[in-house]
Amino acid sequence: MTGVCVGSIDPIERKGFKGICLQDGPAGVRFAKGTATSWQASINTAATFDRKLLRKVGEAQGKEFYQRGINVALAPSMGIQRAPAAGRIFESYGEDPFYVGQCGLEVLKGIQSQGVIANAKHFIANDQENNRGASTSNVPEQALWDVYMEPFYRTVIDGEAGTVMASYNAINGTYSTQNKRLLTDSLKGKLGFQGFVMSDWWAIFDVEKSFGAGTDMNMPGGKYWGPDYVDDSFWGKHILECIEKGVFPQERLDDAVLRIIRTMYKLDQMDNYPEVNLYVDTNTKENAALNRKVGADSNVLLKNADNILPLKKSKKVKKIAVIGKDSMPPTLCEDMRCANGTLPLGWGSGTTDFKYVVDPLSAITKRAKKANLKVTSYGDDDAKKAAKVAKNADVAIVFVQADSGEEYITVEGNAGDRLNLDLWHGGNELIEAVAAVNKNTIVVIHSPGPVNVPFLDKVKGVIFAGLPGQETGNAITDVLFGDVNPSGHLPYTWAPREDYPTDVKYEPEYPDGGDKMTVYDYNEGLFVGYRWFDKNEIKPTFPFGYGLSYTTFEYSDLEADMEDDGLYVTLTVKNTGKVAGAAVPMIFLSFPESVKDYPVRLFKGFDKVMLKAGQSKEVKIFIDDHGLSYYDVESEDYVRPKEGEFTVFAGSNASDLPLKVNVLANGDDYSEDEAENGEEVSAEVEEDNEDSASEDEKDLKKRSYKLY
């Protein structure tokens, strides 16, 4: 609690131990006074659906942590987006367990490739902010493993994560830091985790339960926040007292120390590691260029009527109006605790100290000059004044926003979680007023997640820009003018709030770590995100994976071969438009009928393919043994079905899957009769899943919440 880092372990000179520095976070190095790159939010990186970019971001961020002598980067964050109003959804990678795991894996590998220990967090089911330190997430057993454990499975087993952070909340009544069944039996036991478990900050409230359960490091050490608790810890000397009393053995302490030290050795941190200096200037041109690219590639084009975009000088387009305070330079408050000007990140520990922010108006003005286009602007949110400026322009671009963040900060009445999904600062009224006087209105939205879009049918274009970081203005300008063809896709389902299976709560504040808890029942079980919408046949505003381009793509020739090690899928993607662009073919699976109470289909594979106009490419996607498995509650293990058949779907998003093929689970070829009836069998499987929907819900609710 006394070091320059957000978490510190003091040096031990007699052992030649230099100590440990831990620092936030997912968007770059926190508290670096503008010397570090202020990256895009993780949800933006996810929207690229580009493994190579995800890895590059991890590598670049890892390098910045390494250059400062930071041992542990507190990233990646891998929560599941259950409810769109949840405050910290921008720090993670969306709603799908498979995809969140793939994103976390690539970023984690990138960070650790630079010699920095990556921290997989927050373990587990910490998916809302209200009373996060005094709440219980009551998760059915199969959902716990198939949904919430999945990202940690990938980062621990495939990524060899150095450390995992135990979350603030309780799971099924027992706080994560005290949850022996999850920390020791499941994480360290079943998953074979070899690194160390740290607590989230001030999430420790005792020594017997927390240290005994398998938490190895208490962060930041003191009982509570503030200088009065620097030398007052629940642990420290109390660990030795517990060993002397026989509460837990000496071996428990040895194991905790060994896990920390061997992780440092594995990442080669014990010799010649840089000295701690948070203010080394690493905000390089290379990092800015990467942030700009990810920002551009994460822009999701939601609507483009009459091909209003990209902007080009023509007889009809000579003057552009840029409207809204969100187009202007932002006020850079500590931890982004204000929303005044363009919105590059949400608030809380997952943000950074910005050296600069390229605002949209400046970037558009500069690019428009190059294209010989005139720009007029109104940098506020008064609807009447905005309409006057927009009326005489050929195209009006309206910038709007909504914000969210971490519980310890309240912004405009929002204590982390959003109070609603409306645009802030009268955004809807601003858009309506401009659209009423300018038929060529384009809307750009900066937000952590979905917002209400009552204006959708009244505007020509909509781009969801998310939270793009320091190069935000350049990133959106690249797409608006067609210098970059948009290729971002939504890593979550976008719908009205009432259509989702669950929501956040707004209960009064309870003391952290106490018996009084807000109860979050995960009654939707396996059916998070698009799975819920598929099951209940609800049409969302925009489905998972949705994203338009300035070109068009065609998918064909889907084939699938089942082998002992997994499923090999091939398909052909063709650019049928007139400009180059990147396609993201997505693979979904329906499991055999023998797997009961399961989603209609699951996202299981993807790739990103750059194609010239008219070009075709064969794409190969592999789904491994684990991806073909489900968690069986009875056997308490992952099981890969060996009977029946999988149905493989391919297309551009969860609601656009034109290709389908069946494959036998045991890898055998179909007989001639089976091949002829393949389509009928597939249809029957889908029908059965739908018919059993009500029984599924009853069964999920019957399953016991194990109180660990």
Side-chain angles (χ1 to χ4, degrees):
M1 291 175 66
T2 57
V4 295
C5 306
V6 298
S8 299
I9 302 293
D10 291 339
I12 305 174
E13 293 184 10
R14 61 187 174 83
K15 293 290 186 179
F17 178 68
K18 292 173 60 176
I20 303 175
C21 169
L22 307 91
Q23 197 75 2
D24 295 304
V29 182
R30 187 182 179 204
F31 296 144
K33 297 182 179 179
T35 61
T37 310
S38 292
W39 296 92
Q40 66 286 338
S42 297
I43 200 68
N44 276 67
T45 318
T48 68
F49 278 79
D50 190 329
R51 282 191 174 92
K52 292 180 180 178
L53 269 187
L54 283 154
R55 180 69 67 89
K56 285 182 178 179
V57 168
E59 290 170 348
Q61 290 182 339
K63 185 176 181 180
E64 289 196 273
F65 281 91
Y66 176 84
Q67 289 170 317
R68 287 170 169 75
I70 298 168
N71 303 90
V72 180
L74 301 176
S77 179
M78 299 183 301
I80 300 296
Q81 185 172 319
R82 298 174 66 234
R88 298 180 78 178
I89 57 173
F90 65 90
E91 293 186 42
S92 187
Y93 304 101
E95 72 185 22
D96 182 74
F98 161 76
Y99 189 57
V100 172
Q102 294 300 303
C103 291
L105 175 64
E106 294 299 336
V107 171
L108 181 140
K109 282 186 172 181
I111 291 171
Q112 295 197 163
S113 73
Q114 304 302 302
V116 175
I117 301 167
N119 174 234
K121 64 180 189 180
H122 303 89
F123 189 82
I124 193 170
N126 181 189
D127 304 308
Q128 46 277 316
E129 285 299 284
N130 177 246
N131 277 331
R132 63 183 184 182
S135 66
T136 177
S137 297
N138 292 340
V139 190
E141 186 71 357
Q142 187 176 22
L144 178 68
W145 286 91
D146 267 352
V147 178
Y148 302 95
M149 194 73 78
E150 175 63 20
F152 294 94
Y153 180 100
R154 290 297 184 182
T155 48
V156 166
I157 293 179
D158 297 345
E160 299 182 354
T163 179
V164 168
M165 181 186 290
S167 54
Y168 287 111
N169 58 293
I171 302 89
N172 297 342
T174 302
Y175 284 102
S176 179
T177 56
Q178 302 173 351
N179 205 314
K180 186 175 186 294
R181 192 256 185 174
L182 285 178
L183 296 183
T184 297
D185 300 343
S186 299
L187 181 62
K188 295 179 178 179
K190 185 173 287 189
L191 298 190
F193 177 55
Q194 298 297 304
F196 61 94
V197 174
M198 71 169 70
S199 72
D200 209 333
W201 268 232
W202 297 287
I204 295 288
F205 298 97
D206 77 317
V207 62
E208 295 92 343
K209 293 178 181 178
S210 58
F211 193 68
T215 305
D216 302 303
M217 182 184 288
N218 177 3
M219 275 290 126
K223 287 181 177 179
Y224 307 105
W225 182 89
D228 293 343
Y229 298 98
V230 168
D231 296 316
D232 187 6
S233 175
F234 287 108
W235 283 19
K237 64 181 180 180
H238 302 299
I239 291 177
L240 296 178
E241 292 171 359
C242 286
I243 292 173
E244 291 170 357
K245 293 177 182 178
V247 176
F248 37 73
Q250 173 69 39
E251 287 76 16
R252 170 69 195 103
L253 176 59
D254 295 343
D255 178 66
V257 174
L258 177 62
R259 286 176 173 275
I260 296 168
I261 295 299
R262 76 180 173 203
T263 302
M264 297 182 73
Y265 270 112
K266 181 176 181 178
L267 275 296
D268 198 25
Q269 293 188 355
M270 297 301 283
D271 295 304
N272 301 316
Y273 202 73
E275 297 295 325
V276 175
N277 180 359
L278 296 186
Y279 312 120
V280 176
D281 191 354
T282 60
N283 200 340
T284 62
K285 291 182 179 179
E286 293 78 12
N287 285 349
L290 181 57
N291 171 232
R292 178 173 179 170
K293 176 172 176 53
V294 177
D297 286 3
S298 65
N299 279 304
V300 183
L301 182 61
L302 298 177
K303 183 175 182 179
N304 194 23
D306 300 332
N307 293 319
I308 189 70
L309 291 170
L311 298 172
K312 297 177 182 176
K313 183 176 175 61
S314 66
K315 293 180 180 179
K316 294 182 178 180
V317 180
K318 297 179 180 179
K319 183 179 180 182
I320 302 169
V322 179
I323 304 295
K325 186 174 284 188
D326 186 67
S327 70
M328 301 297 288
T331 301
L332 298 174
C333 306
E334 182 184 2
D335 283 348
M336 292 300 293
R337 60 181 67 226
C338 58
N340 183 33
T342 197
L343 193 66
L345 281 174
W347 71 78
S349 63
T351 188
T352 58
D353 297 337
F354 284 81
K355 181 178 182 179
Y356 69 88
V357 174
V358 179
D359 62 274
L361 176 60
S362 297
I364 290 170
T365 302
K366 183 178 180 181
R367 181 63 179 82
K369 186 177 181 181
K370 182 179 178 182
N372 294 317
L373 289 168
K374 184 178 179 181
V375 173
T376 185
S377 66
Y378 174 67
D380 215 324
D381 296 324
D382 184 288
K384 290 183 179 180
K385 293 179 179 178
K388 288 182 180 179
V389 174
K391 185 176 182 179
N392 296 320
D394 300 310
V395 175
I397 309 173
V398 185
F399 284 82
V400 289
Q401 66 181 232
D403 202 1
S404 73
E406 200 167 352
E407 183 191 40
Y408 72 92
I409 296 173
T410 297
V411 179
E412 299 186 25
N414 298 264
D417 302 323
R418 282 188 280 169
L419 293 173
N420 54 59
L421 301 188
D422 288 336
L423 290 169
W424 286 24
H425 310 145
N428 289 334
E429 292 77 8
L430 184 69
I431 295 167
E432 296 265 359
V434 171
V437 299
N438 192 312
K439 65 180 181 179
N440 293 323
T441 296
I442 298 163
V443 176
V444 177
I445 304 169
H446 287 115
S447 169
V451 296
N452 295 325
V453 285
F455 52 82
L456 191 58
D457 294 333
K458 301 175 183 178
V459 300
K460 286 282 184 74
V462 180
I463 297 176
F464 184 73
L467 301 169
Q470 65 185 35
E471 288 287 322
T472 176
N474 286 329
I476 189 62
T477 300
D478 288 343
V479 168
L480 288 170
F481 285 85
D483 300 323
V484 172
N485 190 344
S487 61
H489 294 259
L490 295 174
Y492 46 75
T493 305
W494 186 311
R497 187 176 191 174
E498 60 271 17
D499 286 349
Y500 293 90
T502 188
D503 208 342
V504 300
K505 294 185 177 181
Y506 305 100
E507 293 191 1
E509 186 176 352
Y510 306 138
D512 288 352
D515 294 332
K516 179 73 171 176
M517 301 181 192
T518 295
V519 177
Y520 293 102
D521 286 325
Y522 284 47
N523 288 336
E524 74 278 9
L526 302 172
F527 298 91
V528 293
Y530 65 86
R531 303 172 179 194
W532 173 263
F533 288 81
D534 283 350
K535 176 182 179 180
N536 294 282
E537 298 183 342
I538 302 170
K539 184 178 180 180
T541 308
F542 301 108
F544 172 89
Y546 185 84
L548 301 175
S549 170
Y550 295 151
T551 188
T552 53
F553 301 100
E554 181 180 271
Y555 300 88
S556 62
D557 304 326
L558 176 65
E559 296 181 1
D561 294 307
M562 187 70 75
E563 302 291 346
D564 290 341
D565 59 341
L567 180 65
Y568 291 80
V569 179
T570 60
L571 73 158
T572 300
V573 185
K574 182 178 181 179
N575 183 341
T576 55
K578 298 180 179 180
V579 296
V584 179
M586 299 184 183
I587 302 299
F588 289 74
L589 290 186
S590 286
F591 273 57
E593 285 184 287
S594 59
V595 185
K596 301 298 183 183
D597 308 331
Y598 224 52
V600 175
R601 59 184 69 87
L602 301 170
F603 183 49
K604 289 292 183 178
F606 68 99
D607 199 359
K608 194 160 194 175
V609 190
M610 191 67 180
L611 297 167
K612 298 176 182 177
Q615 183 183 10
S616 296
K617 278 187 181 180
E618 183 181 76
V619 179
K620 297 180 179 180
I621 295 173
F622 176 64
I623 302 169
D624 65 11
D625 183 79
H626 179 72
L628 297 172
S629 301
Y630 68 98
Y631 189 80
D632 180 66
V633 176
E634 298 301 322
S635 64
E636 298 185 350
D637 207 352
Y638 293 102
V639 175
R640 176 176 167 182
K642 294 298 183 182
E643 297 181 354
E645 63 183 0
F646 288 89
T647 302
V648 184
F649 298 86
S652 61
N653 63 64
S655 295
D656 183 17
L657 300 168
L659 305 183
K660 179 172 69 172
V661 66
N662 298 329
V663 58
L664 291 172
N666 61 12
D668 289 347
D669 293 330
Y670 284 100
S671 66
E672 290 186 13
D673 290 342
E674 287 174 321
E676 290 176 3
N677 295 327
E679 288 301 309
E680 292 181 21
V681 172
S682 175
E684 289 170 9
V685 171
E686 291 181 39
E687 211 171 276
D688 287 345
N689 281 338
E690 291 299 322
D691 290 343
S692 62
S694 60
E695 293 181 14
D696 294 350
E697 289 186 20
K698 292 177 183 177
D699 187 61
L700 281 169
K701 290 180 180 179
K702 285 180 182 177
R703 293 179 186 173
S704 61
Y705 292 134
K706 293 187 178 179
L707 301 180
Y708 307 143

